[in-house]
Amino acid sequence: STPGHEAASVRDLRLSPLHHCLAEKGAWFGERAGWERPNVFLPGSNGSAPALRFGRPAWHEAVAKEHQAARQAVALFDQSQFGKLLIQGRHAEAFLQRLCAGDMAVPPGRAVYTPMLNQRGGYESECVVMRLDERRFMLITGAAQAVRDYHWLESHLSDGEFVTLTDITAGLGVIGIMGPKSRDLLRCISSADFSNAAFPYFSHREIDIGNTVARAARLSYVGELGWEIYLPTDQAVTLYRQIEAAGEAFGLRDGGSFAMAGLRLEKG
């Protein structure tokens, strides 16, 4: 692909449950493994690509505002495109211990950020693995990695190993609420305790939020305080609207993949 351009053919193949909400906000979408993912929000643009030029790109100021919201207030990122693989069975922990460099023997409610390595010690993938209970784990990977990671896991199952793999990517929407005011916003729409003591980094649990129950994970791809909210796709739009309404008081702004990439790099 040419820098600054997105593919013109085979578009709108895979849509997040929030796609039309984000399009209304002027999202310019990019394609990732068939998914439409917002690059940046350009209000009034009707989703058309920003003009290319030799100086600062036309989207520079818009991305700067998304950066600023994530650093100083609160930003919402649609992360529904990330791959989600359910790994379950009585040998699930031992199976993941064999394939992952991180220690998978954590209690339910904890998440592990880990590489999956090959026999030479090289990276095959990096992912977050959430332990749901004694026999169930959910692996979160990049949008372009889900099929490959599923194949890698499946091809390394041993005879007699009681493990099943299910790609549940399309069944769950993921709404990232990131920034120093993310805790304040979430407290407006949930009765859960989001304090550091009750909800430490790399922990997750089911919470009431808006009119539903979802899994909140205290993870941040942008280096700020934040939570990822995992919920069924059929409830994602309703929750998005509730977050949108509550977020007005805190300076909530939608963020795209350009801002997310810059923030994660700057935060290391």
Side-chain angles (χ1 to χ4, degrees):
S1 64
T2 308
H5 290 275
E6 292 287 347
S9 59
V10 197
R11 296 298 299 269
D12 291 342
L13 184 65
R14 306 172 78 185
L15 303 183
S16 152
L18 301 181
H19 180 86
H20 298 294
C21 297
L22 305 181
E24 291 171 5
K25 299 279 192 70
W28 170 46
F29 291 94
E31 181 272 333
R32 303 291 185 279
W35 284 102
E36 296 293 321
R37 189 169 70 174
N39 291 324
V40 59
F41 289 83
L42 302 163
S45 68
N46 293 319
S48 57
L52 295 177
R53 55 198 189 199
F54 287 105
R56 284 184 170 181
W59 45 256
H60 186 272
E61 294 304 321
V63 172
K65 290 177 182 177
E66 295 170 20
H67 264 249
Q68 191 172 26
R71 289 168 169 169
Q72 299 176 8
V74 59
L76 185 152
F77 295 93
D78 180 14
Q79 299 174 218
S80 304
Q81 304 86 0
F82 283 174
K84 310 164 203 81
L85 307 179
L86 191 62
I87 301 156
Q88 52 189 341
R90 68 173 186 260
H91 294 151
E93 181 188 305
F95 172 64
L96 287 170
Q97 286 284 51
R98 196 170 76 247
L99 292 182
C100 297
D103 184 5
M104 296 295 110
V106 295
R110 295 297 298 175
V112 180
Y113 182 47
T114 179
M116 285 198 289
L117 305 178
N118 55 39
Q119 290 180 319
R120 301 182 304 280
Y123 268 65
E124 292 295 332
S125 183
E126 65 172 3
C127 50
V128 170
V129 181
M130 298 185 201
R131 186 164 207 163
L132 306 180
D133 57 37
E134 289 303 314
R135 297 188 176 199
R136 293 190 307 142
F137 295 79
M138 183 165 65
L139 184 150
I140 314 300
T141 189
Q145 281 284 115
V147 172
R148 189 184 186 285
D149 285 0
Y150 185 97
H151 177 263
W152 180 256
L153 291 163
E154 186 180 47
S155 64
H156 286 81
L157 279 169
S158 301
D159 290 340
E161 217 164 19
F162 286 87
V163 176
T164 60
L165 306 172
T166 313
D167 186 339
I168 58 172
T169 302
L172 290 177
V174 186
I175 301 175
I177 310 296
M178 304 292 160
K181 296 183 180 178
S182 55
R183 180 182 280 125
D184 300 325
L185 192 163
L186 288 167
R187 283 172 172 161
C188 291
I189 55 174
S190 172
S191 65
D193 187 347
F194 294 99
S195 66
N196 281 326
F199 214 134
Y201 196 44
F202 271 79
S203 66
H204 60 90
R205 72 182 63 145
E206 286 197 337
I207 63 167
D208 70 278
I209 183 166
N211 295 335
T212 189
V213 173
R215 180 168 302 277
R218 190 171 164 196
L219 306 170
S220 176
Y221 201 69
V222 300
E224 299 287 350
L225 176 71
W227 279 263
E228 295 175 355
I229 310 298
Y230 294 75
L231 77 167
T233 53
D234 59 353
Q235 297 168 44
V237 170
T238 299
L239 182 59
Y240 175 84
R241 296 300 188 200
Q242 291 170 321
I243 294 169
E244 185 179 44
E248 283 186 23
F250 302 102
L252 177 69
R253 181 181 288 269
D254 291 275
S257 62
F258 286 0
M260 180 175 276
L263 286 158
R264 75 174 183 86
L265 290 169
E266 290 182 7
K267 287 287 185 172

